[in-house]
Amino acid sequence: MTQAPATARRTGRRHDREIIALALPAFGSLVAEPLFVMVDSAVIGHLGTPQLAGLGVAAALLTTAVSVFVFLAYATTAAVARRVGAGDLPAAIRQGMDGIWLALLLGAAVIAAVLPAAPWLVEAFGASGTAAPYATAYLRISALGIPAMLVVLAATGVLRGLQDTRTPLYVAVGGFSVNAALNIGLVYGAGLGIAGSAWGTVLAQCGMAAVYLAVVVRGARRHGATLRPDAAGIRASAQAGVPLLVRTLSLRAVLMIATAVAARLGDAEVAAHQIVLTLWSLLAFALDAIAIAGQAIIGRYLGAGDRDGARAACRRMVQWGIAAGLVLGVLVALARPLFIPLFTADPAVQDPLLSTLLVVAVTQPVSGIVFILDGVLMGAGDGPYLAWAMVVTLALFAPVALTVPLFGGGLVALWWAMALMMTVRMLTLWLRTRSGRWIVTGASR
């Protein structure tokens, strides 16, 4: 009778060590990524308002283009982790190389589409006549770095699948540092203006991709894995990524609808909404770090055929998600009056912020469960269900959010609609994990 609790405690501590070892470096690399845009903004901001406005438009377009392909990291992590769990490291690395080759092909396709369409994209995004030339120049130059950005995503997935989140952290920090130095040197030292900032970002991304490729190639040679492109493997990677692409596009649609509704509420409300969305995204980094650990750990357990280990890891990570959500929620609720003045001094913006952030605080435990279960099912390779669940969530969220202005609701009502969206996601993910249908063992799903 006393052995079972003691065994459970030892198992829990082992899972805790694994989660911490993977999640902490993952959090660091996640935070480093948006710093690229922040550095560009800080450097270009001193050139003038039109240049900064042009950067804002171009950066939004680039972020959207790259984030659509985030499945390169997620799908690769799950596939590589399964083969690691099965004890077949050469196959794991070959799987990772298929993802990297797919990233290069997609990157080339994006360049071919963006370069000629850049002026039209900038105009469609609403850039002013003075900002449009700067936005077009930045977008065209930065687009040359998209293949490198996608390789970074795929290679990050490879290393996460190999249970290594430290190397992505080191590469992200190094890339951020090089990007900052290149931006200052090229924009001011070489006098290239906004073009210098774009070239700095391209060179930094290419450097990061080169480091990742060197690490993966070294691993491939060590384990005798081929580096040649394999059409069947690339096709399989693409097929695994399609459901996650649908999931990502549905989630992006949710955020776009929310922003569109906030814009209809008034200038103060949309300004407050952008601040809330920024903070909500920052909180998501902390929860997503645990989810990334979940992808790697669950994939490894399933690859090893350990059903009980996968279930136990899932339960433990959900506990972590709830605890992290509670802590973050309390911090947001208590610190609201302190950090709101850092973003705006306008009372018309501060008032809706104060109430809306309380909604965000209350729903953080729900967000914790959502992010963890999302990571668990990604690690299990359960992409089709994730796609279906997110499409259903979008279908339920859209009419609720769009009726907020019709019934005189404000920003708080919009974010209660966001809370409903997260609750629906939680229910769909919980039902799936409870059913056990995600538990498919073996080197491949």
Side-chain angles (χ1 to χ4, degrees), residues 282-338:
L282 181 62
L283 296 171
F285 284 138
L287 300 174
D288 202 25
I290 307 174
I292 287 170
Q295 293 173 32
I297 293 170
I298 293 297
R300 192 187 74 230
Y301 274 117
L302 294 178
D306 189 350
R307 293 172 174 268
D308 292 338
R311 287 192 184 94
C314 176
R315 285 194 298 269
R316 194 62 174 177
M317 281 181 284
V318 169
Q319 292 169 2
W320 271 79
I322 295 172
L326 286 170
V327 171
L328 292 173
V330 170
L331 288 175
V332 170
L334 295 179
R336 285 175 303 147
L338 300 178

Side-chain angles (χ1 to χ4, degrees), residues 333-349:
L334 295 179
R336 285 175 303 147
L338 300 178
F339 63 71
I340 285 177
L342 299 176
F343 290 94
T344 178
D346 187 349
V349 179

Side-chain angles (χ1 to χ4, degrees), residues 262 265-273 346 348-350 352 411:
L265 298 176
D267 290 346
E269 285 76 8
V270 73
H273 172 75
D346 187 349
V349 179
Q350 287 184 348
L411 192 63

Side-chain angles (χ1 to χ4, degrees), residues 44-404:
I44 292 176
H46 292 285
L47 295 177
T49 300
Q51 290 90 333
L52 185 58
L55 171 67
V57 172
L61 288 166
L62 280 169
T63 301
T64 300
V66 174
S67 64
V68 164
F69 299 110
V70 73
F71 68 84
L72 288 167
Y74 294 157
T76 305
T77 297
V80 171
R82 274 184 176 271
R83 284 158 178 78
V84 169
D88 192 349
L89 284 177
I93 295 174
R94 284 198 302 272
Q95 181 74 45
M97 284 304 305
D98 292 335
I100 290 173
W101 281 111
L102 176 61
L104 287 170
L105 291 174
L106 291 173
V110 173
I111 287 180
V114 170
L115 288 182
W120 178 83
L121 290 171
V122 167
E123 182 181 355
F125 217 75
S128 67
T130 54
Y134 297 110
T136 302
Y138 189 94
L139 181 59
R140 278 182 164 158
I141 295 171
S142 296
L144 300 176
I146 287 179
M149 297 179 195
L150 299 189
V151 167
V152 167
L153 282 178
T156 299
V158 175
L159 295 181
R160 288 173 181 172
L162 294 171
Q163 317 296 296
D164 176 10
T165 56
R166 290 183 179 273
T167 300
L169 171 62
Y170 300 148
V171 175
V173 172
F176 164 74
S177 303
V178 171
N179 180 58
L182 286 173
N183 264 263
I184 294 171
L186 294 175
V187 171
Y188 298 117
L192 296 179
I194 194 170
S197 177
W199 281 117
T201 299
V202 169
L203 292 173
Q205 292 287 350
C206 288
M208 292 170 65
V211 172
Y212 274 123
L213 289 175
V215 172
V216 174
V217 169
R218 187 170 65 245
R221 288 175 176 168
R222 184 186 307 126
H223 296 286
T226 180
L227 299 173
R228 293 192 302 271
D230 177 65
I234 294 171
R235 187 164 54 250
S237 295
Q239 289 171 348
V242 168
L244 295 180
L245 175 62
V246 173
R247 168 201 167 274
T248 300
L249 290 174
S250 299
L251 182 57
R252 296 289 300 182
V254 165
L255 300 179
M256 290 175 64
I257 289 171
T259 300
V261 170
R264 294 172 62 186
L265 298 176
D267 290 346
E269 285 76 8
V270 73
H273 172 75
Q274 287 304 114
I275 295 172
V276 175
L277 193 59
T278 300
L279 291 169
W280 187 73
S281 300
L282 181 62
L283 296 171
F285 284 138
L287 300 174
D288 202 25
I290 307 174
I292 287 170
Q295 293 173 32
I297 293 170
I298 293 297
R300 192 187 74 230
Y301 274 117
L302 294 178
D306 189 350
R307 293 172 174 268
D308 292 338
R311 287 192 184 94
C314 176
R315 285 194 298 269
R316 194 62 174 177
M317 281 181 284
V318 169
Q319 292 169 2
W320 271 79
I322 295 172
L326 286 170
V327 171
L328 292 173
V330 170
L331 288 175
V332 170
L334 295 179
R336 285 175 303 147
L338 300 178
F339 63 71
I340 285 177
L342 299 176
F343 290 94
T344 178
D346 187 349
V349 179
Q350 287 184 348
D351 289 344
L353 261 181
L354 197 64
S355 303
T356 305
L357 284 174
L358 187 59
V359 178
V360 172
V362 169
T363 56
Q364 280 307 293
V366 173
S367 296
I369 297 173
V370 168
F371 276 85
I372 300 311
L373 294 183
D374 210 37
V376 165
L377 296 184
M378 282 185 188
D382 204 10
Y385 182 85
L386 289 171
W388 173 86
M390 197 63 229
V391 169
V392 169
T393 302
L394 172 61
L396 293 174
F397 167 78
V400 174
L402 292 172
T403 57
V404 167

